Amino acid sequence: MSGVAPTLQAPALGPALRARQLLGDYVELTKPKVQSLLLLTTIATMYVAGDPSPLLVALTCLGGYLSAGGAGAVNHWFDRDIDAQMKRTAGRPIPAGRVSPRAALTFGCTLAALSLLELSLAVNPLAAALSFSGFLGYVLVYTVWLKRRTPQNIVIGGAAGAVPPLVGWAAVTGSVGGTAVILFFIVFFWTPPHFWALSLLMKDEYAKVGVPMLPVARGEEETRRQIVLYSILLYAVTQLPYCAGGFGAVYLAASLALGLGFIAGAVRLYRRADRTSALRLYLYSLAYLALLFCAMVADKHL
């Protein structure tokens, strides 16, 4: 017998497991965790705008998922070089070699085209156009143009993530009303403090690959200061729907409580300047937006 120990090899995946792995990778390309909050704001806005049928809600959400999922896949394709260098993203399907760049790009563009077709035929052309504008905004404005060039990337590019309320409103009413525009701006001004709290946790990763997120370009103290300022601005914007007569006491109470909680978390982060406070504010921001939009629906229907 040879004195060399045999090499242990991992067993090859069977066809069923390979198919499941591939399906999971393509789902990951659509960024489903991000999608959940986008869909929630879409659904909530639809029930604020009127009394949509379950079928209309489902068809609108399908189109929205296809559009945002396509944008996510193209983002994975474009950022594959920096994703491979960051610990948090190195295991994604493209840098890990499980999905080819060409396949991911084709997948993303196909989803966007299907979204445009599905929303145009099953919902209405305005909703389709608005959704497609969100796709273009995320891919061309944020991912390709701004992300690697300016610390204001998430401020300007965040407009793409604020489109779902416009899509939901247009799906129900066939138009874009004043309330829908205010909801757009609520998400727009929520995005920077939400994302900057996360970027404080990922500062070293972004610095490693040369992405000028605010903590990298301006420093952590300035980022914390901007988070406080934007949380106050967000609080002011969330009072506009009540002041304009679009919502009543239920929304007012929720927006006051949630907004003051957001400001308190931002001030705590500014004073303590630690990772724990940044993580808490990031997690709170997720719950904040979900609860605020749920409060809108409750206000309309209670």
Side-chain angles (χ1 to χ4, degrees):
M1 293 180 62
S2 171
V4 180
T7 301
L8 297 178
Q9 295 182 346
L13 294 176
L17 289 178
R18 285 200 301 270
R20 183 182 299 177
Q21 171 79 71
L22 187 61
L23 177 61
D25 285 334
Y26 275 92
V27 170
E28 184 179 348
L29 289 176
T30 67
K31 300 190 175 184
K33 292 181 180 179
V34 176
Q35 291 261 29
S36 60
L37 206 52
L38 298 179
L39 293 177
L40 187 148
T41 59
T42 302
I43 295 170
T45 302
M46 293 181 74
Y47 283 104
V48 169
D51 188 22
S53 68
L55 178 59
L56 179 60
V57 173
L59 292 171
T60 304
C61 287
L62 173 61
Y65 190 97
L66 292 172
S67 179
V74 177
N75 174 266
H76 274 265
W77 166 77
F78 189 82
D79 281 347
R80 64 191 184 279
D81 57 333
I82 60 175
D83 283 349
Q85 301 177 56
M86 296 192 294
K87 182 178 179 181
R88 180 176 66 95
T89 56
R92 285 178 172 176
I94 301 176
R98 299 190 303 272
V99 175
S100 71
R102 174 180 289 186
L105 178 60
T106 302
F107 178 63
C109 294
T110 300
L111 291 186
L114 289 174
S115 169
L116 188 60
L117 180 64
E118 187 268 344
L119 287 173
S120 297
L121 297 178
V123 182
N124 62 59
L126 178 59
L130 289 168
S131 183
F132 190 62
S133 72
F135 170 84
L136 294 177
Y138 186 76
V139 170
L140 299 180
V141 178
Y142 172 69
T143 301
V144 176
W145 179 32
L146 297 174
K147 183 175 180 178
R148 308 190 191 197
R149 287 177 170 84
T150 170
Q152 293 300 308
N153 47 24
I154 199 63
V155 178
I156 304 170
V163 168
L166 299 179
V167 176
W169 193 278
V172 175
T173 67
S175 63
V176 175
T179 300
V181 174
I182 294 175
L183 300 189
F184 167 89
F185 279 108
I186 287 176
V187 181
F188 178 80
F189 285 111
W190 165 87
T191 302
H194 159 74
F195 192 85
W196 286 335
L198 175 63
S199 68
L200 285 169
L201 301 172
M202 306 303 301
K203 175 189 173 184
D204 293 340
E205 294 266 47
Y206 286 127
K208 178 182 177 182
V209 296
V211 175
M213 291 300 178
L214 193 61
V216 177
R218 304 284 177 81
E220 294 188 20
E221 183 176 359
E222 176 62 17
T223 302
R224 294 192 299 270
R225 189 179 76 87
Q226 289 291 329
I227 288 174
V228 172
L229 294 176
Y230 266 87
S231 66
I232 295 172
L233 182 58
L234 174 63
Y235 175 83
V237 173
T238 59
Q239 301 313 303
L240 293 179
Y242 175 79
C243 295
F247 295 106
V250 173
Y251 172 78
L252 176 63
S255 64
L256 289 173
L258 291 168
L260 291 175
F262 205 122
I263 294 173
V267 171
R268 184 186 304 112
L269 173 60
Y270 183 78
R271 290 178 174 175
R272 296 184 179 179
D274 60 355
R275 292 178 62 85
T276 299
S277 298
L279 178 60
R280 286 179 177 174
L281 183 61
Y282 170 72
L283 295 175
Y284 178 82
S285 68
L286 294 171
Y288 167 90
L289 193 66
L291 292 173
L292 186 70
F293 272 77
C294 287
M296 296 176 189
V297 178
D299 186 274
K300 282 291 185 179
H301 292 276
L302 285 179

PDB file of all heavy atoms in Angstrom, residues 177-209:
ATOM      1  N   GLY A 177     -51.211  61.186  -7.989  1.00  0.00           N
ATOM      2  CA  GLY A 177     -51.748  62.295  -7.225  1.00  0.00           C
ATOM      3  C   GLY A 177     -50.731  62.903  -6.274  1.00  0.00           C
ATOM      4  O   GLY A 177     -49.612  62.415  -6.123  1.00  0.00           O
ATOM      5  N   GLY A 178     -51.162  63.972  -5.607  1.00  0.00           N
ATOM      6  CA  GLY A 178     -50.278  64.663  -4.677  1.00  0.00           C
ATOM      7  C   GLY A 178     -49.831  63.797  -3.518  1.00  0.00           C
ATOM      8  O   GLY A 178     -48.673  63.853  -3.097  1.00  0.00           O
ATOM      9  N   THR A 179     -50.745  62.978  -3.000  1.00  0.00           N
ATOM     10  CA  THR A 179     -50.378  62.099  -1.899  1.00  0.00           C
ATOM     11  C   THR A 179     -49.305  61.117  -2.330  1.00  0.00           C
ATOM     12  O   THR A 179     -48.364  60.822  -1.572  1.00  0.00           O
ATOM     13  CB  THR A 179     -51.609  61.327  -1.386  1.00  0.00           C
ATOM     14  OG1 THR A 179     -52.602  62.259  -0.936  1.00  0.00           O
ATOM     15  CG2 THR A 179     -51.234  60.405  -0.233  1.00  0.00           C
ATOM     16  N   ALA A 180     -49.414  60.599  -3.543  1.00  0.00           N
ATOM     17  CA  ALA A 180     -48.413  59.661  -4.052  1.00  0.00           C
ATOM     18  C   ALA A 180     -47.039  60.311  -4.122  1.00  0.00           C
ATOM     19  O   ALA A 180     -46.023  59.676  -3.804  1.00  0.00           O
ATOM     20  CB  ALA A 180     -48.826  59.158  -5.429  1.00  0.00           C
ATOM     21  N   VAL A 181     -46.990  61.568  -4.524  1.00  0.00           N
ATOM     22  CA  VAL A 181     -45.712  62.283  -4.604  1.00  0.00           C
ATOM     23  C   VAL A 181     -45.108  62.450  -3.209  1.00  0.00           C
ATOM     24  O   VAL A 181     -43.896  62.289  -3.012  1.00  0.00           O
ATOM     25  CB  VAL A 181     -45.899  63.654  -5.277  1.00  0.00           C
ATOM     26  CG1 VAL A 181     -44.609  64.470  -5.224  1.00  0.00           C
ATOM     27  CG2 VAL A 181     -46.346  63.468  -6.717  1.00  0.00           C
ATOM     28  N   ILE A 182     -45.955  62.742  -2.218  1.00  0.00           N
ATOM     29  CA  ILE A 182     -45.453  62.861  -0.842  1.00  0.00           C
ATOM     30  C   ILE A 182     -44.894  61.527  -0.355  1.00  0.00           C
ATOM     31  O   ILE A 182     -43.840  61.471   0.287  1.00  0.00           O
ATOM     32  CB  ILE A 182     -46.564  63.359   0.096  1.00  0.00           C
ATOM     33  CG1 ILE A 182     -46.968  64.789  -0.274  1.00  0.00           C
ATOM     34  CG2 ILE A 182     -46.096  63.315   1.550  1.00  0.00           C
ATOM     35  CD1 ILE A 182     -48.138  65.328   0.531  1.00  0.00           C
ATOM     36  N   LEU A 183     -45.585  60.425  -0.666  1.00  0.00           N
ATOM     37  CA  LEU A 183     -45.091  59.108  -0.268  1.00  0.00           C
ATOM     38  C   LEU A 183     -43.755  58.806  -0.940  1.00  0.00           C
ATOM     39  O   LEU A 183     -42.875  58.184  -0.341  1.00  0.00           O
ATOM     40  CB  LEU A 183     -46.122  58.033  -0.607  1.00  0.00           C
ATOM     41  CG  LEU A 183     -47.500  58.173   0.046  1.00  0.00           C
ATOM     42  CD1 LEU A 183     -48.336  56.924  -0.205  1.00  0.00           C
ATOM     43  CD2 LEU A 183     -47.384  58.461   1.526  1.00  0.00           C
ATOM     44  N   PHE A 184     -43.620  59.217  -2.184  1.00  0.00           N
ATOM     45  CA  PHE A 184     -42.336  59.083  -2.882  1.00  0.00           C
ATOM     46  C   PHE A 184     -41.232  59.786  -2.096  1.00  0.00           C
ATOM     47  O   PHE A 184     -40.143  59.225  -1.879  1.00  0.00           O
ATOM     48  CB  PHE A 184     -42.447  59.669  -4.291  1.00  0.00           C
ATOM     49  CG  PHE A 184     -41.131  59.864  -4.990  1.00  0.00           C
ATOM     50  CD1 PHE A 184     -40.566  58.842  -5.756  1.00  0.00           C
ATOM     51  CD2 PHE A 184     -40.439  61.074  -4.896  1.00  0.00           C
ATOM     52  CE1 PHE A 184     -39.351  59.021  -6.403  1.00  0.00           C
ATOM     53  CE2 PHE A 184     -39.224  61.255  -5.540  1.00  0.00           C
ATOM     54  CZ  PHE A 184     -38.680  60.232  -6.298  1.00  0.00           C
ATOM     55  N   PHE A 185     -41.498  61.018  -1.653  1.00  0.00           N
ATOM     56  CA  PHE A 185     -40.466  61.777  -0.948  1.00  0.00           C
ATOM     57  C   PHE A 185     -40.194  61.225   0.449  1.00  0.00           C
ATOM     58  O   PHE A 185     -39.070  61.366   0.964  1.00  0.00           O
ATOM     59  CB  PHE A 185     -40.834  63.262  -0.889  1.00  0.00           C
ATOM     60  CG  PHE A 185     -40.503  64.001  -2.159  1.00  0.00           C
ATOM     61  CD1 PHE A 185     -41.501  64.432  -3.015  1.00  0.00           C
ATOM     62  CD2 PHE A 185     -39.181  64.231  -2.504  1.00  0.00           C
ATOM     63  CE1 PHE A 185     -41.190  65.092  -4.189  1.00  0.00           C
ATOM     64  CE2 PHE A 185     -38.853  64.896  -3.683  1.00  0.00           C
ATOM     65  CZ  PHE A 185     -39.858  65.329  -4.527  1.00  0.00           C
ATOM     66  N   ILE A 186     -41.187  60.605   1.057  1.00  0.00           N
ATOM     67  CA  ILE A 186     -40.930  59.964   2.350  1.00  0.00           C
ATOM     68  C   ILE A 186     -39.879  58.873   2.192  1.00  0.00           C
ATOM     69  O   ILE A 186     -38.902  58.801   2.945  1.00  0.00           O
ATOM     70  CB  ILE A 186     -42.230  59.384   2.945  1.00  0.00           C
ATOM     71  CG1 ILE A 186     -43.126  60.519   3.441  1.00  0.00           C
ATOM     72  CG2 ILE A 186     -41.926  58.412   4.088  1.00  0.00           C
ATOM     73  CD1 ILE A 186     -44.484  60.055   3.952  1.00  0.00           C
ATOM     74  N   VAL A 187     -40.053  58.015   1.190  1.00  0.00           N
ATOM     75  CA  VAL A 187     -39.069  56.952   0.956  1.00  0.00           C
ATOM     76  C   VAL A 187     -37.736  57.544   0.501  1.00  0.00           C
ATOM     77  O   VAL A 187     -36.664  57.070   0.890  1.00  0.00           O
ATOM     78  CB  VAL A 187     -39.593  55.935  -0.081  1.00  0.00           C
ATOM     79  CG1 VAL A 187     -38.568  54.822  -0.303  1.00  0.00           C
ATOM     80  CG2 VAL A 187     -40.918  55.339   0.366  1.00  0.00           C
ATOM     81  N   PHE A 188     -37.806  58.598  -0.301  1.00  0.00           N
ATOM     82  CA  PHE A 188     -36.593  59.247  -0.807  1.00  0.00           C
ATOM     83  C   PHE A 188     -35.736  59.778   0.341  1.00  0.00           C
ATOM     84  O   PHE A 188     -34.509  59.586   0.361  1.00  0.00           O
ATOM     85  CB  PHE A 188     -36.985  60.390  -1.750  1.00  0.00           C
ATOM     86  CG  PHE A 188     -35.822  61.162  -2.298  1.00  0.00           C
ATOM     87  CD1 PHE A 188     -35.082  60.665  -3.366  1.00  0.00           C
ATOM     88  CD2 PHE A 188     -35.465  62.388  -1.763  1.00  0.00           C
ATOM     89  CE1 PHE A 188     -34.000  61.378  -3.884  1.00  0.00           C
ATOM     90  CE2 PHE A 188     -34.386  63.107  -2.272  1.00  0.00           C
ATOM     91  CZ  PHE A 188     -33.661  62.595  -3.335  1.00  0.00           C
ATOM     92  N   PHE A 189     -36.358  60.452   1.319  1.00  0.00           N
ATOM     93  CA  PHE A 189     -35.588  61.019   2.425  1.00  0.00           C
ATOM     94  C   PHE A 189     -35.276  59.989   3.504  1.00  0.00           C
ATOM     95  O   PHE A 189     -34.381  60.212   4.326  1.00  0.00           O
ATOM     96  CB  PHE A 189     -36.340  62.213   3.024  1.00  0.00           C
ATOM     97  CG  PHE A 189     -36.285  63.443   2.166  1.00  0.00           C
ATOM     98  CD1 PHE A 189     -37.411  63.911   1.518  1.00  0.00           C
ATOM     99  CD2 PHE A 189     -35.087  64.123   1.989  1.00  0.00           C
ATOM    100  CE1 PHE A 189     -37.359  65.040   0.713  1.00  0.00           C
ATOM    101  CE2 PHE A 189     -35.027  65.257   1.178  1.00  0.00           C
ATOM    102  CZ  PHE A 189     -36.164  65.713   0.540  1.00  0.00           C
ATOM    103  N   TRP A 190     -35.985  58.876   3.511  1.00  0.00           N
ATOM    104  CA  TRP A 190     -35.671  57.775   4.431  1.00  0.00           C
ATOM    105  C   TRP A 190     -34.415  57.039   3.997  1.00  0.00           C
ATOM    106  O   TRP A 190     -33.644  56.554   4.843  1.00  0.00           O
ATOM    107  CB  TRP A 190     -36.864  56.815   4.482  1.00  0.00           C
ATOM    108  CG  TRP A 190     -36.564  55.472   5.083  1.00  0.00           C
ATOM    109  CD1 TRP A 190     -36.614  55.138   6.409  1.00  0.00           C
ATOM    110  CD2 TRP A 190     -36.196  54.274   4.385  1.00  0.00           C
ATOM    111  NE1 TRP A 190     -36.293  53.804   6.575  1.00  0.00           N
ATOM    112  CE2 TRP A 190     -36.035  53.256   5.356  1.00  0.00           C
ATOM    113  CE3 TRP A 190     -35.997  53.952   3.037  1.00  0.00           C
ATOM    114  CZ2 TRP A 190     -35.673  51.950   5.008  1.00  0.00           C
ATOM    115  CZ3 TRP A 190     -35.634  52.660   2.694  1.00  0.00           C
ATOM    116  CH2 TRP A 190     -35.483  51.676   3.673  1.00  0.00           C
ATOM    117  N   THR A 191     -34.170  56.953   2.698  1.00  0.00           N
ATOM    118  CA  THR A 191     -33.089  56.117   2.182  1.00  0.00           C
ATOM    119  C   THR A 191     -31.703  56.517   2.675  1.00  0.00           C
ATOM    120  O   THR A 191     -30.931  55.641   3.101  1.00  0.00           O
ATOM    121  CB  THR A 191     -33.119  56.113   0.640  1.00  0.00           C
ATOM    122  OG1 THR A 191     -34.389  55.626   0.194  1.00  0.00           O
ATOM    123  CG2 THR A 191     -32.031  55.211   0.083  1.00  0.00           C
ATOM    124  N   PRO A 192     -31.291  57.791   2.646  1.00  0.00           N
ATOM    125  CA  PRO A 192     -29.930  58.116   3.090  1.00  0.00           C
ATOM    126  C   PRO A 192     -29.619  57.735   4.530  1.00  0.00           C
ATOM    127  O   PRO A 192     -28.610  57.051   4.776  1.00  0.00           O
ATOM    128  CB  PRO A 192     -29.837  59.635   2.852  1.00  0.00           C
ATOM    129  CG  PRO A 192     -30.797  59.888   1.740  1.00  0.00           C
ATOM    130  CD  PRO A 192     -31.946  58.964   2.010  1.00  0.00           C
ATOM    131  N   PRO A 193     -30.431  58.129   5.537  1.00  0.00           N
ATOM    132  CA  PRO A 193     -30.058  57.727   6.896  1.00  0.00           C
ATOM    133  C   PRO A 193     -30.111  56.217   7.093  1.00  0.00           C
ATOM    134  O   PRO A 193     -29.315  55.659   7.860  1.00  0.00           O
ATOM    135  CB  PRO A 193     -31.085  58.444   7.776  1.00  0.00           C
ATOM    136  CG  PRO A 193     -32.236  58.745   6.882  1.00  0.00           C
ATOM    137  CD  PRO A 193     -31.634  58.986   5.534  1.00  0.00           C
ATOM    138  N   HIS A 194     -31.020  55.552   6.409  1.00  0.00           N
ATOM    139  CA  HIS A 194     -31.095  54.083   6.476  1.00  0.00           C
ATOM    140  C   HIS A 194     -29.813  53.462   5.934  1.00  0.00           C
ATOM    141  O   HIS A 194     -29.189  52.621   6.595  1.00  0.00           O
ATOM    142  CB  HIS A 194     -32.307  53.609   5.664  1.00  0.00           C
ATOM    143  CG  HIS A 194     -32.230  52.181   5.228  1.00  0.00           C
ATOM    144  ND1 HIS A 194     -32.413  51.126   6.092  1.00  0.00           N
ATOM    145  CD2 HIS A 194     -31.977  51.623   4.006  1.00  0.00           C
ATOM    146  CE1 HIS A 194     -32.277  49.982   5.428  1.00  0.00           C
ATOM    147  NE2 HIS A 194     -32.008  50.265   4.167  1.00  0.00           N
ATOM    148  N   PHE A 195     -29.393  53.881   4.756  1.00  0.00           N
ATOM    149  CA  PHE A 195     -28.226  53.266   4.128  1.00  0.00           C
ATOM    150  C   PHE A 195     -26.924  53.709   4.778  1.00  0.00           C
ATOM    151  O   PHE A 195     -25.976  52.929   4.881  1.00  0.00           O
ATOM    152  CB  PHE A 195     -28.201  53.583   2.632  1.00  0.00           C
ATOM    153  CG  PHE A 195     -27.213  52.751   1.876  1.00  0.00           C
ATOM    154  CD1 PHE A 195     -27.563  51.489   1.411  1.00  0.00           C
ATOM    155  CD2 PHE A 195     -25.925  53.204   1.647  1.00  0.00           C
ATOM    156  CE1 PHE A 195     -26.643  50.699   0.727  1.00  0.00           C
ATOM    157  CE2 PHE A 195     -25.000  52.430   0.959  1.00  0.00           C
ATOM    158  CZ  PHE A 195     -25.365  51.170   0.499  1.00  0.00           C
ATOM    159  N   TRP A 196     -26.848  54.964   5.223  1.00  0.00           N
ATOM    160  CA  TRP A 196     -25.619  55.433   5.864  1.00  0.00           C
ATOM    161  C   TRP A 196     -25.357  54.719   7.178  1.00  0.00           C
ATOM    162  O   TRP A 196     -24.196  54.517   7.550  1.00  0.00           O
ATOM    163  CB  TRP A 196     -25.685  56.950   6.063  1.00  0.00           C
ATOM    164  CG  TRP A 196     -25.495  57.718   4.792  1.00  0.00           C
ATOM    165  CD1 TRP A 196     -24.843  57.306   3.668  1.00  0.00           C
ATOM    166  CD2 TRP A 196     -25.970  59.040   4.511  1.00  0.00           C
ATOM    167  NE1 TRP A 196     -24.882  58.285   2.704  1.00  0.00           N
ATOM    168  CE2 TRP A 196     -25.559  59.358   3.194  1.00  0.00           C
ATOM    169  CE3 TRP A 196     -26.696  59.983   5.234  1.00  0.00           C
ATOM    170  CZ2 TRP A 196     -25.854  60.584   2.595  1.00  0.00           C
ATOM    171  CZ3 TRP A 196     -26.997  61.197   4.648  1.00  0.00           C
ATOM    172  CH2 TRP A 196     -26.580  61.508   3.340  1.00  0.00           C
ATOM    173  N   ALA A 197     -26.421  54.343   7.897  1.00  0.00           N
ATOM    174  CA  ALA A 197     -26.214  53.559   9.115  1.00  0.00           C
ATOM    175  C   ALA A 197     -25.538  52.233   8.779  1.00  0.00           C
ATOM    176  O   ALA A 197     -24.626  51.782   9.479  1.00  0.00           O
ATOM    177  CB  ALA A 197     -27.550  53.317   9.823  1.00  0.00           C
ATOM    178  N   LEU A 198     -25.975  51.603   7.670  1.00  0.00           N
ATOM    179  CA  LEU A 198     -25.340  50.360   7.231  1.00  0.00           C
ATOM    180  C   LEU A 198     -23.915  50.617   6.740  1.00  0.00           C
ATOM    181  O   LEU A 198     -22.998  49.835   7.022  1.00  0.00           O
ATOM    182  CB  LEU A 198     -26.166  49.725   6.113  1.00  0.00           C
ATOM    183  CG  LEU A 198     -25.567  48.467   5.466  1.00  0.00           C
ATOM    184  CD1 LEU A 198     -25.438  47.343   6.491  1.00  0.00           C
ATOM    185  CD2 LEU A 198     -26.416  48.026   4.276  1.00  0.00           C
ATOM    186  N   SER A 199     -23.724  51.720   6.031  1.00  0.00           N
ATOM    187  CA  SER A 199     -22.392  51.987   5.465  1.00  0.00           C
ATOM    188  C   SER A 199     -21.358  52.249   6.556  1.00  0.00           C
ATOM    189  O   SER A 199     -20.159  52.026   6.342  1.00  0.00           O
ATOM    190  CB  SER A 199     -22.457  53.175   4.501  1.00  0.00           C
ATOM    191  OG  SER A 199     -22.715  54.386   5.185  1.00  0.00           O
ATOM    192  N   LEU A 200     -21.793  52.729   7.730  1.00  0.00           N
ATOM    193  CA  LEU A 200     -20.865  52.873   8.847  1.00  0.00           C
ATOM    194  C   LEU A 200     -20.310  51.514   9.267  1.00  0.00           C
ATOM    195  O   LEU A 200     -19.149  51.392   9.666  1.00  0.00           O
ATOM    196  CB  LEU A 200     -21.561  53.547  10.034  1.00  0.00           C
ATOM    197  CG  LEU A 200     -21.803  55.055   9.911  1.00  0.00           C
ATOM    198  CD1 LEU A 200     -22.718  55.536  11.021  1.00  0.00           C
ATOM    199  CD2 LEU A 200     -20.480  55.826   9.939  1.00  0.00           C
ATOM    200  N   LEU A 201     -21.159  50.496   9.176  1.00  0.00           N
ATOM    201  CA  LEU A 201     -20.730  49.142   9.531  1.00  0.00           C
ATOM    202  C   LEU A 201     -19.825  48.544   8.459  1.00  0.00           C
ATOM    203  O   LEU A 201     -19.016  47.666   8.746  1.00  0.00           O
ATOM    204  CB  LEU A 201     -21.954  48.242   9.729  1.00  0.00           C
ATOM    205  CG  LEU A 201     -22.945  48.675  10.811  1.00  0.00           C
ATOM    206  CD1 LEU A 201     -24.202  47.805  10.758  1.00  0.00           C
ATOM    207  CD2 LEU A 201     -22.303  48.591  12.189  1.00  0.00           C
ATOM    208  N   MET A 202     -19.972  49.001   7.218  1.00  0.00           N
ATOM    209  CA  MET A 202     -19.239  48.435   6.088  1.00  0.00           C
ATOM    210  C   MET A 202     -18.159  49.375   5.560  1.00  0.00           C
ATOM    211  O   MET A 202     -17.654  49.184   4.460  1.00  0.00           O
ATOM    212  CB  MET A 202     -20.222  48.123   4.949  1.00  0.00           C
ATOM    213  CG  MET A 202     -21.397  47.236   5.336  1.00  0.00           C
ATOM    214  SD  MET A 202     -20.871  45.663   6.037  1.00  0.00           S
ATOM    215  CE  MET A 202     -19.901  45.014   4.692  1.00  0.00           C
ATOM    216  N   LYS A 203     -17.778  50.366   6.355  1.00  0.00           N
ATOM    217  CA  LYS A 203     -16.846  51.399   5.878  1.00  0.00           C
ATOM    218  C   LYS A 203     -15.556  50.796   5.336  1.00  0.00           C
ATOM    219  O   LYS A 203     -15.088  51.167   4.249  1.00  0.00           O
ATOM    220  CB  LYS A 203     -16.536  52.367   7.011  1.00  0.00           C
ATOM    221  CG  LYS A 203     -15.471  53.403   6.638  1.00  0.00           C
ATOM    222  CD  LYS A 203     -15.018  54.214   7.835  1.00  0.00           C
ATOM    223  CE  LYS A 203     -13.852  55.116   7.466  1.00  0.00           C
ATOM    224  NZ  LYS A 203     -13.330  55.852   8.653  1.00  0.00           N
ATOM    225  N   ASP A 204     -14.944  49.893   6.077  1.00  0.00           N
ATOM    226  CA  ASP A 204     -13.656  49.326   5.656  1.00  0.00           C
ATOM    227  C   ASP A 204     -13.775  48.558   4.341  1.00  0.00           C
ATOM    228  O   ASP A 204     -12.859  48.587   3.508  1.00  0.00           O
ATOM    229  CB  ASP A 204     -13.098  48.412   6.750  1.00  0.00           C
ATOM    230  CG  ASP A 204     -12.713  49.182   7.999  1.00  0.00           C
ATOM    231  OD1 ASP A 204     -12.525  50.408   7.909  1.00  0.00           O
ATOM    232  OD2 ASP A 204     -12.610  48.559   9.083  1.00  0.00           O
ATOM    233  N   GLU A 205     -14.893  47.872   4.158  1.00  0.00           N
ATOM    234  CA  GLU A 205     -15.107  47.125   2.916  1.00  0.00           C
ATOM    235  C   GLU A 205     -15.207  48.079   1.731  1.00  0.00           C
ATOM    236  O   GLU A 205     -14.607  47.847   0.674  1.00  0.00           O
ATOM    237  CB  GLU A 205     -16.390  46.293   3.033  1.00  0.00           C
ATOM    238  CG  GLU A 205     -16.327  45.181   4.066  1.00  0.00           C
ATOM    239  CD  GLU A 205     -15.923  43.859   3.438  1.00  0.00           C
ATOM    240  OE1 GLU A 205     -14.955  43.857   2.659  1.00  0.00           O
ATOM    241  OE2 GLU A 205     -16.585  42.860   3.735  1.00  0.00           O
ATOM    242  N   TYR A 206     -15.980  49.160   1.901  1.00  0.00           N
ATOM    243  CA  TYR A 206     -16.113  50.133   0.818  1.00  0.00           C
ATOM    244  C   TYR A 206     -14.789  50.828   0.524  1.00  0.00           C
ATOM    245  O   TYR A 206     -14.443  51.082  -0.638  1.00  0.00           O
ATOM    246  CB  TYR A 206     -17.182  51.165   1.166  1.00  0.00           C
ATOM    247  CG  TYR A 206     -18.594  50.640   1.074  1.00  0.00           C
ATOM    248  CD1 TYR A 206     -19.480  50.768   2.137  1.00  0.00           C
ATOM    249  CD2 TYR A 206     -19.049  50.017  -0.082  1.00  0.00           C
ATOM    250  CE1 TYR A 206     -20.776  50.286   2.053  1.00  0.00           C
ATOM    251  CE2 TYR A 206     -20.343  49.536  -0.179  1.00  0.00           C
ATOM    252  CZ  TYR A 206     -21.204  49.668   0.896  1.00  0.00           C
ATOM    253  OH  TYR A 206     -22.490  49.191   0.810  1.00  0.00           O
ATOM    254  N   ALA A 207     -14.035  51.148   1.570  1.00  0.00           N
ATOM    255  CA  ALA A 207     -12.734  51.791   1.375  1.00  0.00           C
ATOM    256  C   ALA A 207     -11.782  50.861   0.623  1.00  0.00           C
ATOM    257  O   ALA A 207     -11.002  51.315  -0.223  1.00  0.00           O
ATOM    258  CB  ALA A 207     -12.136  52.173   2.724  1.00  0.00           C
ATOM    259  N   LYS A 208     -11.864  49.589   0.905  1.00  0.00           N
ATOM    260  CA  LYS A 208     -10.984  48.598   0.270  1.00  0.00           C
ATOM    261  C   LYS A 208     -11.150  48.579  -1.243  1.00  0.00           C
ATOM    262  O   LYS A 208     -10.172  48.426  -1.989  1.00  0.00           O
ATOM    263  CB  LYS A 208     -11.279  47.220   0.858  1.00  0.00           C
ATOM    264  CG  LYS A 208     -10.478  46.074   0.254  1.00  0.00           C
ATOM    265  CD  LYS A 208     -10.889  44.759   0.890  1.00  0.00           C
ATOM    266  CE  LYS A 208     -10.146  43.583   0.255  1.00  0.00           C
ATOM    267  NZ  LYS A 208     -10.570  42.283   0.849  1.00  0.00           N
ATOM    268  N   VAL A 209     -12.392  48.756  -1.710  1.00  0.00           N
ATOM    269  CA  VAL A 209     -12.650  48.669  -3.153  1.00  0.00           C
ATOM    270  C   VAL A 209     -12.807  50.048  -3.794  1.00  0.00           C
ATOM    271  O   VAL A 209     -13.131  50.152  -4.978  1.00  0.00           O
ATOM    272  CB  VAL A 209     -13.909  47.811  -3.426  1.00  0.00           C
ATOM    273  CG1 VAL A 209     -13.677  46.386  -2.969  1.00  0.00           C
ATOM    274  CG2 VAL A 209     -15.148  48.390  -2.747  1.00  0.00           C
TER     275      VAL A 209
END
